[in-house]
Amino acid sequence: MSFELSADHEVFRKVVRDFAEAEVAPHAAQWDRDHHFPVDLIPKMAELGLFGLVVGEQYGGSAGDGVTGSGPDFTALCLAIEELGRVDQSVGITLSAGVGLGINPILAFGTDAQKERWLPDLVAGRALAGFGLTEPEAGSDAGATRTRAELVDGQWVINGSKAFITNSGSAITSCVTVTARTGVIPGPSGDRPEISAVIVPSGTPGFEVQPAYDKLGWHASDTHGLVFEDCRVPEANLLGARGAGFKQFLAILDDGRIAISALAVGLAQACLEESVRYAKQRTTFGKPIGARQAIAFAISDLAVAVEAARGLTYKAAAMKDAGRPAAQVKQAAAIAKLYSTEAAVSATRVATQVFGGYGFIEEYPVARFYRDAKILEVGEGTSEVQRMVIARGLGLPVE
Amino acid sequence: MNIVVLMKQVPDTYAERKLQAGDNTLDRDASDAVINEIDEYAIEEGLLLKEAHGGEVTILTMGPDRATESIRKALSMGADKGVHVLDDALHGSCAITTAKVLAKALGTVEYDLVIAGSEATDSRLSIVPALVSEALGVAQLSGARKVTVDGSTVTIERTTDTGFDRVEGAVPAVVSVVEKINEPRYPSFKGIMAAKSKPVTTLSLSDLGLSPDEVGLVASTTTVESYEEAPPRAAGTIVKDEGNGGAAIAEYLASRKLI
């Protein structure tokens, strides 16, 4: 058994860290202040191969051609998300969502024609895609989806609205995969909605991107509400089998949870580094505050949480790369996501406390970290949903 | 067009650098090792020329075992192969001996152009590219901010304090570059994976027909007799602006003969 990353992964982590330090960190505070989505950064990230880590070579990725090559490297993706998230959570989520929610559904369920049309641009960083699942009144409760897609004269006519959709309205967004009711499936315990996924190209008449949200954190990420009014797309834009939408996004979300866990690890790591640095430098009553047990012990606990979160995250990623059964990966993903995100929120509380009054001032990055943390406990399934998934995995008859 | 890039592994510029007691040579284990920063520009220029003209880029380095990591990084950026001159007897080699060894190693590969960074961040002598060209008996074009190759002619723009000189030479030649020349690429994930299977040749002194008494500390033309730690930085001077801030700053700068 080994707890070490492979040499390749270490080299790759170093490259992404260098990139993050040079190309992202110097701008993070400004982008946050200006609510600026750094669209020019996307092709640069793509040059490192970040959008292609789980995509086959025929679409420009690095995951082999299905016969030779190394296969999808989800662990590498998590390392990249962690390292970007260490300096800028918004950029981290842009990658996480870009691959996990933009590329993954098309890669996993698309036809060859759909893959050829969308993937090369997404992998090369010329485009981004979003995944429209959440609605104003339907999140993890996907059965409550109200958006409808009706097949009329060989076209899907979509009506409804979506909420909190990442990468859905950037200048380079090429499409959004939207889940919608496409019919009703009768059953012994009553009817339930048939949910399918449809690819909607940006700019399609009737597809309106709402202005960007005014968010607590993640100011430099691109998040919008979407409205569909008699939006028509070709029948061939159905993604995967009709009625398979529910099953599809459950699979997508499991991966996304590991990625969010990696994002949380990056944030907690940043809090640890900032806290250690500041505790050595700032003095009170003639001694650095790091000499005070109250501060030193709090930072020690923070270091423990970072290690634990990282271990759970890499384990879940390694299980996915090793092709372990879906139920096992689902459980590991939920455990990692729950622990890491709560650890990250707690880490930002410790870091801002270590910084004292300066932790409340936007000039210091820990204030931004504090604002960026909260969403981690919410996105891709709340902590409550993770606990529900874990309980079910344990065989408990939780409701 | 085949290009050899001379690359040096140096201690991380941002780390505290130390000499080791005993022989007063660089303590290479005291900090992380990285590709000498300007050499990354040399590698990038090699790759750009290869993309424009075809051919291969070979990375040549002389250094201890761990220099392999830097060769791999250069290969992951896109270079084709590496040559690593590795021999314990090389420890403590001066610039002149280093150039002699590199010139010998260049004799084992085919090249039209040798590209080097203009200086290394550790020793900062800036003399090795010139010494290599002398040892090879080929043209030296130094301090390039732009390189163009047309047939058998290489032309550079050499940076000067006021602008640039245009310098022309016949290939094969040695060109040293400065940071203005390009923006080095980051290795891609694919590049990292591909680098693993690219060939790296290790050459010992005997492979180069050199004997241990011709190189290293024993043959060095320079030695570090003694050294002292840099004194801790003194507290700065704070000029408080009480209506005379500008004059006070000017006075301070004048007292230091800076203006």
Side-chain angles (χ1 to χ4, degrees), chain A residues 354-395:
Chain A
V354 167
F355 272 69
Y358 293 112
F360 198 60
I361 304 297
E362 289 287 357
E363 194 182 331
Y364 293 85
V366 291
R368 168 166 52 93
F369 296 163
Y370 192 84
R371 289 186 287 98
D372 281 342
K374 183 58 213 170
I375 185 63
L376 294 168
E377 292 180 322
V378 177
E380 307 256 350
T382 60
S383 288
E384 291 75 14
V385 164
Q386 307 309 323
R387 288 189 168 90
M388 196 174 77
V389 169
I390 295 164
R392 285 180 184 162
L394 295 171

mmCIF file of all heavy atoms in Angstrom, chain A residues 354-395:
data_model
loop_
_atom_site.group_PDB
_atom_site.id
_atom_site.type_symbol
_atom_site.label_atom_id
_atom_site.label_comp_id
_atom_site.label_asym_id
_atom_site.label_seq_id
_atom_site.Cartn_x
_atom_site.Cartn_y
_atom_site.Cartn_z
ATOM 1 N N VAL A 354 -6.854 33.920 13.243
ATOM 2 C CA VAL A 354 -5.407 34.117 13.421
ATOM 3 C C VAL A 354 -5.018 35.523 12.955
ATOM 4 O O VAL A 354 -4.201 36.194 13.567
ATOM 5 C CB VAL A 354 -4.608 33.047 12.636
ATOM 6 C CG1 VAL A 354 -3.131 33.420 12.551
ATOM 7 C CG2 VAL A 354 -4.781 31.683 13.285
ATOM 8 N N PHE A 355 -5.645 35.972 11.890
ATOM 9 C CA PHE A 355 -5.325 37.299 11.346
ATOM 10 C C PHE A 355 -5.944 38.437 12.162
ATOM 11 O O PHE A 355 -5.662 39.610 11.903
ATOM 12 C CB PHE A 355 -5.791 37.409 9.885
ATOM 13 C CG PHE A 355 -4.769 36.933 8.893
ATOM 14 C CD1 PHE A 355 -4.439 35.589 8.794
ATOM 15 C CD2 PHE A 355 -4.112 37.827 8.053
ATOM 16 C CE1 PHE A 355 -3.490 35.146 7.892
ATOM 17 C CE2 PHE A 355 -3.159 37.397 7.142
ATOM 18 C CZ PHE A 355 -2.844 36.049 7.061
ATOM 19 N N GLY A 356 -6.793 38.102 13.116
ATOM 20 C CA GLY A 356 -7.407 39.145 13.928
ATOM 21 C C GLY A 356 -8.176 40.134 13.068
ATOM 22 O O GLY A 356 -8.832 39.740 12.105
ATOM 23 N N GLY A 357 -8.061 41.395 13.371
ATOM 24 C CA GLY A 357 -8.788 42.424 12.635
ATOM 25 C C GLY A 357 -8.477 42.415 11.148
ATOM 26 O O GLY A 357 -9.355 42.661 10.319
ATOM 27 N N TYR A 358 -7.227 42.068 10.816
ATOM 28 C CA TYR A 358 -6.861 42.057 9.389
ATOM 29 C C TYR A 358 -7.590 40.972 8.612
ATOM 30 O O TYR A 358 -7.751 41.072 7.402
ATOM 31 C CB TYR A 358 -5.348 41.908 9.224
ATOM 32 C CG TYR A 358 -4.592 43.124 9.719
ATOM 33 C CD1 TYR A 358 -3.779 43.066 10.837
ATOM 34 C CD2 TYR A 358 -4.739 44.344 9.066
ATOM 35 C CE1 TYR A 358 -3.114 44.185 11.303
ATOM 36 C CE2 TYR A 358 -4.079 45.483 9.525
ATOM 37 C CZ TYR A 358 -3.269 45.395 10.643
ATOM 38 O OH TYR A 358 -2.634 46.506 11.087
ATOM 39 N N GLY A 359 -8.034 39.937 9.324
ATOM 40 C CA GLY A 359 -8.794 38.878 8.659
ATOM 41 C C GLY A 359 -10.123 39.367 8.136
ATOM 42 O O GLY A 359 -10.763 38.714 7.313
ATOM 43 N N PHE A 360 -10.549 40.521 8.613
ATOM 44 C CA PHE A 360 -11.844 41.087 8.223
ATOM 45 C C PHE A 360 -11.674 42.114 7.116
ATOM 46 O O PHE A 360 -12.629 42.716 6.650
ATOM 47 C CB PHE A 360 -12.481 41.741 9.463
ATOM 48 C CG PHE A 360 -13.959 41.970 9.342
ATOM 49 C CD1 PHE A 360 -14.834 40.909 9.130
ATOM 50 C CD2 PHE A 360 -14.499 43.242 9.467
ATOM 51 C CE1 PHE A 360 -16.195 41.113 9.019
ATOM 52 C CE2 PHE A 360 -15.858 43.469 9.363
ATOM 53 C CZ PHE A 360 -16.712 42.402 9.149
ATOM 54 N N ILE A 361 -10.421 42.324 6.713
ATOM 55 C CA ILE A 361 -10.111 43.347 5.714
ATOM 56 C C ILE A 361 -9.824 42.656 4.385
ATOM 57 O O ILE A 361 -9.040 41.712 4.322
ATOM 58 C CB ILE A 361 -8.866 44.161 6.153
ATOM 59 C CG1 ILE A 361 -9.078 44.770 7.547
ATOM 60 C CG2 ILE A 361 -8.543 45.251 5.121
ATOM 61 C CD1 ILE A 361 -10.209 45.760 7.658
ATOM 62 N N GLU A 362 -10.440 43.160 3.327
ATOM 63 C CA GLU A 362 -10.329 42.503 2.026
ATOM 64 C C GLU A 362 -8.915 42.542 1.445
ATOM 65 O O GLU A 362 -8.602 41.855 0.487
ATOM 66 C CB GLU A 362 -11.317 43.110 1.030
ATOM 67 C CG GLU A 362 -12.769 42.758 1.314
ATOM 68 C CD GLU A 362 -13.120 41.311 0.984
ATOM 69 O OE1 GLU A 362 -12.259 40.578 0.478
ATOM 70 O OE2 GLU A 362 -14.265 40.913 1.266
ATOM 71 N N GLU A 363 -8.061 43.373 2.029
ATOM 72 C CA GLU A 363 -6.688 43.450 1.539
ATOM 73 C C GLU A 363 -5.959 42.110 1.748
ATOM 74 O O GLU A 363 -4.998 41.805 1.059
ATOM 75 C CB GLU A 363 -5.988 44.565 2.327
ATOM 76 C CG GLU A 363 -4.687 45.016 1.762
ATOM 77 C CD GLU A 363 -4.060 46.093 2.648
ATOM 78 O OE1 GLU A 363 -4.808 46.833 3.323
ATOM 79 O OE2 GLU A 363 -2.826 46.172 2.662
ATOM 80 N N TYR A 364 -6.425 41.333 2.706
ATOM 81 C CA TYR A 364 -5.772 40.048 3.002
ATOM 82 C C TYR A 364 -6.591 38.911 2.401
ATOM 83 O O TYR A 364 -7.824 38.936 2.476
ATOM 84 C CB TYR A 364 -5.634 39.871 4.523
ATOM 85 C CG TYR A 364 -4.672 40.880 5.093
ATOM 86 C CD1 TYR A 364 -5.100 42.160 5.426
ATOM 87 C CD2 TYR A 364 -3.318 40.577 5.221
ATOM 88 C CE1 TYR A 364 -4.209 43.106 5.901
ATOM 89 C CE2 TYR A 364 -2.426 41.523 5.692
ATOM 90 C CZ TYR A 364 -2.875 42.782 6.028
ATOM 91 O OH TYR A 364 -1.993 43.707 6.475
ATOM 92 N N PRO A 365 -5.901 37.932 1.817
ATOM 93 C CA PRO A 365 -6.652 36.898 1.086
ATOM 94 C C PRO A 365 -7.573 36.072 1.978
ATOM 95 O O PRO A 365 -8.564 35.538 1.495
ATOM 96 C CB PRO A 365 -5.558 36.017 0.471
ATOM 97 C CG PRO A 365 -4.306 36.328 1.217
ATOM 98 C CD PRO A 365 -4.446 37.723 1.710
ATOM 99 N N VAL A 366 -7.277 35.980 3.283
ATOM 100 C CA VAL A 366 -8.130 35.111 4.110
ATOM 101 C C VAL A 366 -9.575 35.605 4.163
ATOM 102 O O VAL A 366 -10.503 34.806 4.360
ATOM 103 C CB VAL A 366 -7.561 34.909 5.538
ATOM 104 C CG1 VAL A 366 -6.289 34.078 5.472
ATOM 105 C CG2 VAL A 366 -7.328 36.222 6.253
ATOM 106 N N ALA A 367 -9.782 36.915 3.993
ATOM 107 C CA ALA A 367 -11.160 37.430 3.964
ATOM 108 C C ALA A 367 -11.898 36.872 2.749
ATOM 109 O O ALA A 367 -13.058 36.452 2.836
ATOM 110 C CB ALA A 367 -11.152 38.958 3.937
ATOM 111 N N ARG A 368 -11.199 36.844 1.618
ATOM 112 C CA ARG A 368 -11.798 36.257 0.407
ATOM 113 C C ARG A 368 -12.051 34.766 0.601
ATOM 114 O O ARG A 368 -13.104 34.242 0.208
ATOM 115 C CB ARG A 368 -10.866 36.505 -0.795
ATOM 116 C CG ARG A 368 -11.214 35.717 -2.043
ATOM 117 C CD ARG A 368 -10.491 36.257 -3.281
ATOM 118 N NE ARG A 368 -9.052 36.397 -3.105
ATOM 119 C CZ ARG A 368 -8.161 35.449 -3.438
ATOM 120 N NH1 ARG A 368 -8.564 34.325 -3.974
ATOM 121 N NH2 ARG A 368 -6.876 35.652 -3.246
ATOM 122 N N PHE A 369 -11.077 34.091 1.223
ATOM 123 C CA PHE A 369 -11.252 32.651 1.465
ATOM 124 C C PHE A 369 -12.523 32.403 2.289
ATOM 125 O O PHE A 369 -13.273 31.457 2.032
ATOM 126 C CB PHE A 369 -10.047 32.072 2.231
ATOM 127 C CG PHE A 369 -8.738 32.139 1.482
ATOM 128 C CD1 PHE A 369 -7.526 31.983 2.153
ATOM 129 C CD2 PHE A 369 -8.702 32.334 0.112
ATOM 130 C CE1 PHE A 369 -6.324 32.036 1.479
ATOM 131 C CE2 PHE A 369 -7.499 32.395 -0.574
ATOM 132 C CZ PHE A 369 -6.302 32.241 0.117
ATOM 133 N N TYR A 370 -12.734 33.249 3.289
ATOM 134 C CA TYR A 370 -13.886 33.094 4.176
ATOM 135 C C TYR A 370 -15.194 33.178 3.375
ATOM 136 O O TYR A 370 -16.097 32.387 3.557
ATOM 137 C CB TYR A 370 -13.838 34.197 5.238
ATOM 138 C CG TYR A 370 -14.791 34.027 6.390
ATOM 139 C CD1 TYR A 370 -14.461 33.229 7.477
ATOM 140 C CD2 TYR A 370 -16.024 34.685 6.405
ATOM 141 C CE1 TYR A 370 -15.334 33.080 8.545
ATOM 142 C CE2 TYR A 370 -16.900 34.541 7.469
ATOM 143 C CZ TYR A 370 -16.551 33.741 8.540
ATOM 144 O OH TYR A 370 -17.406 33.599 9.593
ATOM 145 N N ARG A 371 -15.247 34.133 2.459
ATOM 146 C CA ARG A 371 -16.456 34.276 1.641
ATOM 147 C C ARG A 371 -16.612 33.142 0.646
ATOM 148 O O ARG A 371 -17.719 32.731 0.315
ATOM 149 C CB ARG A 371 -16.430 35.618 0.893
ATOM 150 C CG ARG A 371 -16.623 36.832 1.781
ATOM 151 C CD ARG A 371 -16.724 38.111 0.972
ATOM 152 N NE ARG A 371 -15.460 38.556 0.405
ATOM 153 C CZ ARG A 371 -15.035 38.341 -0.829
ATOM 154 N NH1 ARG A 371 -15.804 37.674 -1.680
ATOM 155 N NH2 ARG A 371 -13.871 38.788 -1.239
ATOM 156 N N ASP A 372 -15.444 32.667 0.144
ATOM 157 C CA ASP A 372 -15.495 31.615 -0.881
ATOM 158 C C ASP A 372 -15.874 30.249 -0.304
ATOM 159 O O ASP A 372 -16.317 29.360 -1.032
ATOM 160 C CB ASP A 372 -14.125 31.474 -1.573
ATOM 161 C CG ASP A 372 -13.890 32.567 -2.615
ATOM 162 O OD1 ASP A 372 -14.875 33.193 -3.046
ATOM 163 O OD2 ASP A 372 -12.716 32.773 -2.998
ATOM 164 N N ALA A 373 -15.677 30.058 1.003
ATOM 165 C CA ALA A 373 -15.789 28.712 1.575
ATOM 166 C C ALA A 373 -17.220 28.193 1.629
ATOM 167 O O ALA A 373 -17.484 27.033 1.327
ATOM 168 C CB ALA A 373 -15.180 28.708 2.975
ATOM 169 N N LYS A 374 -18.146 29.049 2.007
ATOM 170 C CA LYS A 374 -19.487 28.574 2.379
ATOM 171 C C LYS A 374 -20.142 27.708 1.293
ATOM 172 O O LYS A 374 -20.763 26.684 1.583
ATOM 173 C CB LYS A 374 -20.378 29.776 2.709
ATOM 174 C CG LYS A 374 -21.764 29.419 3.178
ATOM 175 C CD LYS A 374 -21.725 28.537 4.421
ATOM 176 C CE LYS A 374 -22.890 27.565 4.431
ATOM 177 N NZ LYS A 374 -22.759 26.545 5.491
ATOM 178 N N ILE A 375 -19.990 28.132 0.048
ATOM 179 C CA ILE A 375 -20.668 27.432 -1.045
ATOM 180 C C ILE A 375 -20.216 25.966 -1.162
ATOM 181 O O ILE A 375 -20.946 25.110 -1.655
ATOM 182 C CB ILE A 375 -20.448 28.187 -2.384
ATOM 183 C CG1 ILE A 375 -21.225 27.565 -3.542
ATOM 184 C CG2 ILE A 375 -18.981 28.253 -2.741
ATOM 185 C CD1 ILE A 375 -22.717 27.612 -3.359
ATOM 186 N N LEU A 376 -18.995 25.693 -0.668
ATOM 187 C CA LEU A 376 -18.483 24.321 -0.770
ATOM 188 C C LEU A 376 -19.389 23.336 -0.039
ATOM 189 O O LEU A 376 -19.527 22.180 -0.440
ATOM 190 C CB LEU A 376 -17.058 24.238 -0.198
ATOM 191 C CG LEU A 376 -15.989 25.014 -0.963
ATOM 192 C CD1 LEU A 376 -14.711 25.097 -0.142
ATOM 193 C CD2 LEU A 376 -15.714 24.366 -2.307
ATOM 194 N N GLU A 377 -20.018 23.793 1.040
ATOM 195 C CA GLU A 377 -20.910 22.918 1.816
ATOM 196 C C GLU A 377 -22.285 22.788 1.170
ATOM 197 O O GLU A 377 -23.154 22.105 1.706
ATOM 198 C CB GLU A 377 -21.112 23.479 3.230
ATOM 199 C CG GLU A 377 -19.869 23.439 4.088
ATOM 200 C CD GLU A 377 -20.139 24.006 5.485
ATOM 201 O OE1 GLU A 377 -20.894 24.988 5.611
ATOM 202 O OE2 GLU A 377 -19.578 23.451 6.444
ATOM 203 N N VAL A 378 -22.461 23.481 0.040
ATOM 204 C CA VAL A 378 -23.780 23.533 -0.583
ATOM 205 C C VAL A 378 -23.789 22.918 -1.986
ATOM 206 O O VAL A 378 -24.625 22.074 -2.309
ATOM 207 C CB VAL A 378 -24.288 24.999 -0.632
ATOM 208 C CG1 VAL A 378 -25.620 25.078 -1.353
ATOM 209 C CG2 VAL A 378 -24.397 25.569 0.777
ATOM 210 N N GLY A 379 -22.809 23.364 -2.824
ATOM 211 C CA GLY A 379 -22.802 22.936 -4.226
ATOM 212 C C GLY A 379 -22.550 21.448 -4.400
ATOM 213 O O GLY A 379 -21.897 20.830 -3.561
ATOM 214 N N GLU A 380 -23.061 20.873 -5.470
ATOM 215 C CA GLU A 380 -22.936 19.432 -5.778
ATOM 216 C C GLU A 380 -23.452 18.582 -4.628
ATOM 217 O O GLU A 380 -22.877 17.559 -4.263
ATOM 218 C CB GLU A 380 -21.475 19.055 -6.088
ATOM 219 C CG GLU A 380 -20.862 19.940 -7.161
ATOM 220 C CD GLU A 380 -20.738 19.276 -8.520
ATOM 221 O OE1 GLU A 380 -20.960 18.057 -8.614
ATOM 222 O OE2 GLU A 380 -20.448 19.986 -9.486
ATOM 223 N N GLY A 381 -24.540 19.015 -4.048
ATOM 224 C CA GLY A 381 -25.138 18.283 -2.918
ATOM 225 C C GLY A 381 -24.690 18.894 -1.610
ATOM 226 O O GLY A 381 -23.495 18.990 -1.338
ATOM 227 N N THR A 382 -25.652 19.321 -0.804
ATOM 228 C CA THR A 382 -25.331 19.935 0.486
ATOM 229 C C THR A 382 -24.727 18.893 1.426
ATOM 230 O O THR A 382 -24.786 17.690 1.160
ATOM 231 C CB THR A 382 -26.614 20.483 1.143
ATOM 232 O OG1 THR A 382 -27.506 19.375 1.316
ATOM 233 C CG2 THR A 382 -27.267 21.548 0.290
ATOM 234 N N SER A 383 -24.186 19.375 2.535
ATOM 235 C CA SER A 383 -23.675 18.447 3.551
ATOM 236 C C SER A 383 -24.774 17.487 3.997
ATOM 237 O O SER A 383 -24.523 16.302 4.243
ATOM 238 C CB SER A 383 -23.154 19.221 4.761
ATOM 239 O OG SER A 383 -21.942 19.871 4.420
ATOM 240 N N GLU A 384 -25.995 17.999 4.058
ATOM 241 C CA GLU A 384 -27.110 17.144 4.478
ATOM 242 C C GLU A 384 -27.327 16.022 3.472
ATOM 243 O O GLU A 384 -27.564 14.864 3.849
ATOM 244 C CB GLU A 384 -28.383 17.988 4.627
ATOM 245 C CG GLU A 384 -28.363 18.971 5.793
ATOM 246 C CD GLU A 384 -27.484 20.200 5.560
ATOM 247 O OE1 GLU A 384 -27.073 20.460 4.405
ATOM 248 O OE2 GLU A 384 -27.189 20.906 6.547
ATOM 249 N N VAL A 385 -27.247 16.374 2.190
ATOM 250 C CA VAL A 385 -27.412 15.336 1.162
ATOM 251 C C VAL A 385 -26.275 14.315 1.247
ATOM 252 O O VAL A 385 -26.497 13.114 1.098
ATOM 253 C CB VAL A 385 -27.508 15.977 -0.241
ATOM 254 C CG1 VAL A 385 -27.285 14.944 -1.339
ATOM 255 C CG2 VAL A 385 -28.857 16.644 -0.424
ATOM 256 N N GLN A 386 -25.065 14.791 1.514
ATOM 257 C CA GLN A 386 -23.928 13.838 1.638
ATOM 258 C C GLN A 386 -24.195 12.859 2.788
ATOM 259 O O GLN A 386 -23.960 11.666 2.668
ATOM 260 C CB GLN A 386 -22.601 14.565 1.895
ATOM 261 C CG GLN A 386 -22.241 15.664 0.913
ATOM 262 C CD GLN A 386 -22.327 15.253 -0.536
ATOM 263 O OE1 GLN A 386 -21.997 14.123 -0.893
ATOM 264 N NE2 GLN A 386 -22.806 16.140 -1.379
ATOM 265 N N ARG A 387 -24.685 13.397 3.895
ATOM 266 C CA ARG A 387 -24.971 12.528 5.050
ATOM 267 C C ARG A 387 -26.054 11.515 4.694
ATOM 268 O O ARG A 387 -26.000 10.356 5.115
ATOM 269 C CB ARG A 387 -25.386 13.375 6.252
ATOM 270 C CG ARG A 387 -24.217 14.143 6.850
ATOM 271 C CD ARG A 387 -24.569 14.820 8.186
ATOM 272 N NE ARG A 387 -23.353 15.288 8.842
ATOM 273 C CZ ARG A 387 -22.823 16.501 8.672
ATOM 274 N NH1 ARG A 387 -23.414 17.375 7.861
ATOM 275 N NH2 ARG A 387 -21.706 16.824 9.278
ATOM 276 N N MET A 388 -27.024 11.946 3.891
ATOM 277 C CA MET A 388 -28.088 11.042 3.453
ATOM 278 C C MET A 388 -27.510 9.929 2.588
ATOM 279 O O MET A 388 -27.813 8.752 2.788
ATOM 280 C CB MET A 388 -29.102 11.864 2.656
ATOM 281 C CG MET A 388 -30.432 11.234 2.435
ATOM 282 S SD MET A 388 -31.500 12.475 1.640
ATOM 283 C CE MET A 388 -30.880 12.433 -0.039
ATOM 284 N N VAL A 389 -26.617 10.332 1.643
ATOM 285 C CA VAL A 389 -26.002 9.337 0.764
ATOM 286 C C VAL A 389 -25.187 8.345 1.596
ATOM 287 O O VAL A 389 -25.258 7.120 1.395
ATOM 288 C CB VAL A 389 -25.091 10.029 -0.276
ATOM 289 C CG1 VAL A 389 -24.240 9.009 -1.033
ATOM 290 C CG2 VAL A 389 -25.922 10.849 -1.252
ATOM 291 N N ILE A 390 -24.424 8.864 2.546
ATOM 292 C CA ILE A 390 -23.566 8.003 3.363
ATOM 293 C C ILE A 390 -24.427 7.044 4.194
ATOM 294 O O ILE A 390 -24.154 5.842 4.261
ATOM 295 C CB ILE A 390 -22.648 8.856 4.280
ATOM 296 C CG1 ILE A 390 -21.674 9.678 3.432
ATOM 297 C CG2 ILE A 390 -21.872 7.958 5.244
ATOM 298 C CD1 ILE A 390 -20.996 10.817 4.192
ATOM 299 N N ALA A 391 -25.484 7.584 4.791
ATOM 300 C CA ALA A 391 -26.366 6.745 5.612
ATOM 301 C C ALA A 391 -26.966 5.620 4.775
ATOM 302 O O ALA A 391 -27.003 4.456 5.193
ATOM 303 C CB ALA A 391 -27.462 7.605 6.234
ATOM 304 N N ARG A 392 -27.396 5.968 3.562
ATOM 305 C CA ARG A 392 -27.958 4.934 2.682
ATOM 306 C C ARG A 392 -26.903 3.904 2.329
ATOM 307 O O ARG A 392 -27.178 2.704 2.265
ATOM 308 C CB ARG A 392 -28.540 5.555 1.418
ATOM 309 C CG ARG A 392 -29.855 6.243 1.682
ATOM 310 C CD ARG A 392 -30.412 6.848 0.401
ATOM 311 N NE ARG A 392 -31.629 7.591 0.695
ATOM 312 C CZ ARG A 392 -32.157 8.507 -0.104
ATOM 313 N NH1 ARG A 392 -31.561 8.791 -1.252
ATOM 314 N NH2 ARG A 392 -33.261 9.134 0.230
ATOM 315 N N GLY A 393 -25.686 4.392 2.112
ATOM 316 C CA GLY A 393 -24.587 3.470 1.801
ATOM 317 C C GLY A 393 -24.312 2.509 2.939
ATOM 318 O O GLY A 393 -23.817 1.402 2.733
ATOM 319 N N LEU A 394 -24.629 2.957 4.145
ATOM 320 C CA LEU A 394 -24.434 2.099 5.322
ATOM 321 C C LEU A 394 -25.606 1.136 5.515
ATOM 322 O O LEU A 394 -25.600 0.321 6.437
ATOM 323 C CB LEU A 394 -24.287 2.975 6.579
ATOM 324 C CG LEU A 394 -23.049 3.875 6.627
ATOM 325 C CD1 LEU A 394 -23.147 4.849 7.805
ATOM 326 C CD2 LEU A 394 -21.787 3.041 6.721
ATOM 327 N N GLY A 395 -26.606 1.296 4.655
ATOM 328 C CA GLY A 395 -27.764 0.408 4.751
ATOM 329 C C GLY A 395 -28.808 0.895 5.732
ATOM 330 O O GLY A 395 -29.722 0.160 6.089
#
